[in-house]
Amino acid sequence: ILEARSLTRQYRMTGEIVEAVRGVTLSVMPGEFVALMGPSGSGKSTLLQLLGGLDQPTSGEVLLEGESIGRLSDSDATRLRRERTGFVFQSFNLVPLMNVVENVGLPFTIAGQDPRSADLSARIREAIALVELTGKERHKPDQLSAGEQQRVAVARAIVTRPALLFADEPTGNLDFRTGTGILDALWRTCVERGQTIVLVTHDAKAAAYADRVLVVGDGEVQDEIVLGRR
Amino acid sequence: ILEARSLTRQYRMTGEIVEAVRGVTLSVMPGEFVALMGPSGSGKSTLLQLLGGLDQPTSGEVLLEGESIGRLSDSDATRLRRERTGFVFQSFNLVPLMNVVENVGLPFTIAGQDPRSADLSARIREAIALVELTGKERHKPDQLSAGEQQRVAVARAIVTRPALLFADEPTGNLDFRTGTGILDALWRTCVERGQTIVLVTHDAKAAAYADRVLVVGDGEVQDEIVLGRR
Ligand SMILES: Nc1ncnc2c1ncn2[C@@H]1O[C@H](COP(=O)(O)OP(=O)(O)OP(=O)(O)O)[C@@H](O)[C@H]1O
Ligand SMILES: Nc1ncnc2c1ncn2[C@@H]1O[C@H](COP(=O)(O)OP(=O)(O)OP(=O)(O)O)[C@@H](O)[C@H]1O
Ligand SMILES: [Mg+2]
Ligand SMILES: [Mg+2]
């Protein structure tokens, strides 16, 4: 369902080039749960954004459901991304002027649907309940704790039940119990609905939910650990 | 060195009042290392900001080195805070247009000193080395990974060698090894220089560095675990 071929990503700064991703080739099967672990600064977020079509590689290509997203038109790539993927950002990326319900319902709004319709508002409520934020619906991001903001980002990413979920450290600001609740919920969608999940995490307990763990270092995948969960 | 008496903090929203802190009394001895743990949304960041003088309680008082900071003038409170404390924010709060060196040196700049002088620039380099960001000095925050931004926030908080360090989840975006390196460094300043540390963390391994752990829940301190490290 997802393939990367010889991906590289360079950032150009005055006087130097940062090679954040230096040649990554990997593939993810439908319904698979893959974790990416590695030191801070090793290129995990950059790699995840390349895989999710949110960034263009310096070289190499990414195939989403067989389509090379680099070769699609902007609108086609955007449509594919919005219809097939969800993304939890490491820095949340919530809309400051919207409350929790509006932020979680944003994917529907962007798709031209009405998040206040009966079935969509039920789905939004369900996503909010899954991340245990029932009762905080009217809060805006600056009225939420960091872990609550992180959970809004998770709810927004899963509300469309995407075929492919990308999650960049979704539990870094959460206590053990709340974080486990969210990982359990993500794992269930994987098992019950065949959702594919690519999770970046610093937490070995979170990585333990995966079918396999790719160890990232210095912009490359350096190791692979097959956990054989299923 | 730090005392809280019957602290409360309410947030007012249209139609409801959120009681983030509901009566906290505690005291911290000079040179002590205290950890605060608890569920997401339980009031830890709110409490830490009250203790650090960055927020005013709805009722109750905070005494910093014997001075009730609520009764000081704005300029006196600000000066006390800047000369005696350092604060690592959960959301980093870096200056977007400044690079790493400038961000880390900001406490000196604010105090009217020149961070480019020989001894201060050496201290800045030392703080940057402590968080393992040597080589990234010219990067601006948007050219850094989340964990690197978090480490800049830590370096900035410790560069003045404050008597009292407040740290709100300083390792949430860091891998095990990098995070341990930072906690080791903080623990050393505690032991060698008698620095007082109040650390909010979701990570039990980080809390294990403390002399005692206060368990926060629903805006209150619900439990205390004495680790007897020293
Ligand atoms: N400006 C605000 N208005 C209303 N409620 C708020 C505001 N800021 C925070 N809150 C609420 O206060 C409570 C405590 O927030 P706080 O940030 O202290 O939690 P926390 O323990 O640090 O959580 P986390 O572990 O997720 O960082 C949360 O339930 C949050 O929803
Ligand atoms: N815009 C940029 N310009 C220059 N360098 C950058 C830029 N963005 C990121 N980098 C560098 O690229 C490297 C990889 O960044 P990335 O965010 O992918 O790391 P990461 O593995 O997600 O780290 P963390 O675990 O801290 O989140 C880092 O060393 C960072 O300094
Ligand atoms: Mg990252
Ligand atoms: Mg917090």
Side-chain angles (χ1 to χ4, degrees):
Chain A
I1 192 171
L2 175 69
E3 227 187 303
R5 295 176 184 167
S6 305
L7 284 184
T8 73
R9 178 64 166 97
Q10 291 175 349
Y11 292 111
R12 227 160 279 110
M13 291 174 65
T14 44
E16 64 174 298
I17 290 181
V18 178
E19 297 195 299
V21 177
R22 305 189 299 134
V24 168
T25 295
L26 57 83
S27 55
V28 181
M29 307 311 289
E32 203 179 6
F33 192 142
V34 178
L36 303 178
M37 292 190 85
S40 168
S42 58
K44 305 177 300 296
S45 295
T46 304
L47 176 58
L48 202 72
Q49 286 170 356
L50 292 172
L51 297 176
L54 292 163
D55 185 24
Q56 298 288 349
T58 307
S59 68
E61 67 179 338
V62 175
L63 294 95
L64 206 53
E65 300 187 323
E67 303 243 34
S68 176
I69 50 181
R71 289 186 215 150
L72 295 175
S73 68
D74 264 3
S75 52
D76 282 347
T78 298
R79 195 166 38 81
L80 178 66
R81 201 172 62 229
R82 283 190 180 146
E83 289 176 5
R84 309 300 291 162
T85 73
F87 206 106
V88 185
F89 293 90
Q90 193 169 8
S91 55
F92 321 151
N93 288 12
L94 304 182
V95 178
L97 294 178
M98 291 183 172
N99 63 26
V100 171
V101 171
E102 293 163 333
N103 263 292
V104 174
L106 193 59
F108 297 132
T109 308
I110 288 176
Q113 298 170 297
D114 182 13
R116 282 162 302 181
S117 68
D119 51 300
L120 291 188
S121 61
R123 279 242 233 144
I124 291 168
R125 261 198 315 280
E126 171 192 33
I128 289 172
L130 220 102
V131 298
E132 300 180 41
L133 281 181
T134 304
K136 303 268 174 189
E137 287 87 351
R138 293 191 300 115
H139 289 239
K140 296 201 172 60
D142 66 353
Q143 295 168 324
L144 292 171
S145 77
E148 291 168 341
Q149 292 175 28
Q150 189 164 38
R151 288 184 265 159
V152 176
V154 174
R156 179 182 66 190
I158 62 173
V159 75
T160 50
R161 296 174 189 166
L164 235 179
L165 176 69
F166 297 97
D168 199 344
E169 313 239 22
T171 60
N173 286 289
L174 302 177
D175 54 286
F176 179 78
R177 197 199 63 72
T178 311
T180 307
I182 289 188
L183 293 165
D184 285 345
L186 294 183
W187 191 77
R188 272 199 309 276
T189 58
C190 188
V191 168
E192 292 168 8
R193 251 187 259 139
Q195 185 177 61
T196 308
I197 300 178
V198 183
L199 168 85
V200 170
T201 183
H202 280 306
D203 183 0
K205 301 197 267 348
Y209 282 75
D211 299 311
R212 62 190 164 106
V213 180
L214 302 179
V215 181
V216 177
D218 267 333
E220 307 175 293
V221 174
Q222 295 179 337
D223 210 349
E224 182 179 60
I225 307 166
V226 177
L227 294 183
R229 294 236 147 261
R230 302 180 267 171
Chain B
I1 192 173
L2 176 69
E3 227 187 303
R5 296 177 184 167
S6 304
L7 284 184
T8 73
R9 178 65 165 99
Q10 292 176 348
Y11 292 111
R12 227 159 280 112
M13 290 175 65
T14 44
E16 63 175 298
I17 290 180
V18 177
E19 297 195 301
V21 177
R22 304 188 302 132
V24 168
T25 296
L26 58 81
S27 57
V28 181
M29 307 312 288
E32 202 180 8
F33 191 142
V34 178
L36 303 176
M37 292 191 84
S40 169
S42 57
K44 306 177 299 297
S45 294
T46 305
L47 175 58
L48 202 72
Q49 285 170 359
L50 292 172
L51 296 176
L54 292 164
D55 186 23
Q56 297 288 350
T58 306
S59 68
E61 67 178 338
V62 175
L63 294 95
L64 206 53
E65 299 187 323
E67 302 243 35
S68 176
I69 51 182
R71 290 186 214 150
L72 296 175
S73 69
D74 263 4
S75 52
D76 283 347
T78 299
R79 196 167 38 82
L80 179 65
R81 201 172 62 231
R82 284 192 180 143
E83 289 177 4
R84 309 301 291 160
T85 73
F87 205 107
V88 186
F89 293 90
Q90 194 169 8
S91 55
F92 321 150
N93 287 12
L94 304 183
V95 178
L97 293 178
M98 292 184 172
N99 64 25
V100 170
V101 171
E102 294 162 334
N103 263 291
V104 174
L106 193 59
F108 296 133
T109 307
I110 287 176
Q113 298 170 295
D114 181 13
R116 282 162 300 179
S117 69
D119 52 301
L120 291 187
S121 63
R123 279 242 233 145
I124 291 168
R125 261 198 315 280
E126 172 192 33
I128 289 173
L130 220 102
V131 299
E132 300 182 41
L133 281 181
T134 304
K136 303 270 175 187
E137 287 87 349
R138 292 190 300 115
H139 289 239
K140 296 200 172 60
D142 66 353
Q143 295 169 323
L144 292 171
S145 77
E148 290 167 341
Q149 292 174 28
Q150 188 164 39
R151 287 184 266 158
V152 175
V154 173
R156 179 182 66 190
I158 63 173
V159 74
T160 50
R161 295 174 189 167
L164 235 182
L165 176 69
F166 296 97
D168 199 345
E169 316 238 22
T171 60
N173 287 290
L174 302 177
D175 54 286
F176 178 78
R177 197 200 62 73
T178 310
T180 308
I182 289 189
L183 293 166
D184 285 346
L186 295 183
W187 192 77
R188 272 200 308 276
T189 58
C190 190
V191 168
E192 292 168 8
R193 252 187 257 138
Q195 186 177 59
T196 308
I197 300 178
V198 183
L199 169 85
V200 169
T201 183
H202 280 306
D203 183 359
K205 300 197 262 358
Y209 281 76
D211 298 311
R212 63 191 163 106
V213 180
L214 302 178
V215 180
V216 177
D218 267 334
E220 306 175 295
V221 175
Q222 295 178 338
D223 210 349
E224 181 179 61
I225 307 166
V226 177
L227 294 183
R229 295 236 146 260
R230 303 180 266 169

